[in-house]
Amino acid sequence: VGIGTTSPSSNLEVYNSINTQLRVNTASNGYLDLSNYTNGAAVMTSAAHPLRFGTSNTERARIDSAGNMLVGKTSSSFSTAGVELASGGTAGKVQITRDGGSPLALSRKTSDGEIAVFYKDTTQVGSIGSQSGRLTVGSNSAAGVRFDGTQLVPMSGASISDNTITLGDAGFRFKDLYLSGTANF
């Protein structure tokens, strides 16, 4: 079906007098192509014309010329509130900025365990999670800590442990220790 054209190149092609086209391709690798046309050749949207999505006559998200997906903001500045899924030179980066509130909320339902997992290359190096309703920070194969109310409880792997975790090292010591109570041995 062609609207504004007598020779559509796709199953649906909408072409208007200012050389902007909406083209829908239903081939096995279907796509929606929103392009500007100059002398019959497709030119993808420019920085001046990002692909914008809106509701209630307000822009809610955009894909800019670098391929960044912006939600709730119109520039890729980290100081601007909103979400950016970065492409281009910073591919794979997520930036979240919020004014006056927590920018990230994560929830694990029904069981204790990892909530956020951290990797170096493809090797897990640590996690933040929950155990018995308490926050844990550590690694499944190394030392960690569980925050128990007014106590920091040592962990070895995924379990709290007694007399197995060392604080500091002979060559890498902490400088001072300040206590208002007793040191028990």
Side-chain angles (χ1 to χ4, degrees), residues 69-100:
M69 176 71 176
L70 308 174
V71 179
K73 63 195 226 169
T74 58
S75 79
S76 63
S77 169
F78 192 48
S79 64
T80 303
V83 177
E84 178 179 353
L85 305 176
S87 184
T90 57
K93 182 171 75 172
V94 176
Q95 293 183 161
I96 304 171
T97 303
R98 182 172 178 197
D99 187 10

Side-chain angles (χ1 to χ4, degrees), residues 6-183:
T6 57
S7 56
S9 61
S10 297
N11 292 12
L12 171 64
E13 185 171 317
V14 179
Y15 187 84
N16 70 19
S17 62
I18 58 170
N19 295 331
T20 301
Q21 178 182 11
L22 164 67
R23 185 176 62 177
V24 178
N25 184 337
T26 59
S28 62
N29 61 347
Y31 61 87
L32 174 63
D33 175 18
L34 301 170
S35 300
N36 293 326
Y37 273 71
T38 303
N39 298 325
V43 179
M44 298 310 288
T45 58
S46 67
H49 302 286
L51 180 56
R52 298 181 294 171
F53 303 88
T55 60
S56 301
N57 205 28
T58 302
E59 183 177 326
R60 304 294 183 192
R62 72 170 49 196
I63 299 175
D64 67 14
S65 62
N68 300 316
M69 176 71 176
L70 308 174
V71 179
K73 63 195 226 169
T74 58
S75 79
S76 63
S77 169
F78 192 48
S79 64
T80 303
V83 177
E84 178 179 353
L85 305 176
S87 184
T90 57
K93 182 171 75 172
V94 176
Q95 293 183 161
I96 304 171
T97 303
R98 182 172 178 197
D99 187 10
S102 173
L104 181 64
L106 304 172
S107 177
R108 180 184 173 119
K109 299 188 57 101
T110 70
S111 65
D112 283 333
E114 296 171 326
I115 296 172
V117 182
F118 303 93
Y119 291 85
K120 167 60 176 105
D121 296 322
T122 58
T123 302
Q124 182 178 338
V125 295
S127 66
I128 298 173
S130 67
Q131 184 184 72
S132 302
R134 308 277 195 303
L135 177 70
T136 62
V137 177
S139 172
N140 285 339
S141 62
V145 65
R146 183 171 88 182
F147 296 83
D148 276 357
T150 60
Q151 299 174 345
L152 298 177
V153 178
M155 295 180 68
S156 180
S159 303
I160 58 174
S161 62
D162 182 40
N163 200 28
T164 60
I165 305 300
T166 301
L167 184 62
D169 181 271
F172 299 96
R173 301 168 293 162
F174 287 88
K175 183 179 179 298
D176 296 312
L177 178 64
Y178 295 91
L179 302 171
S180 65
T182 59

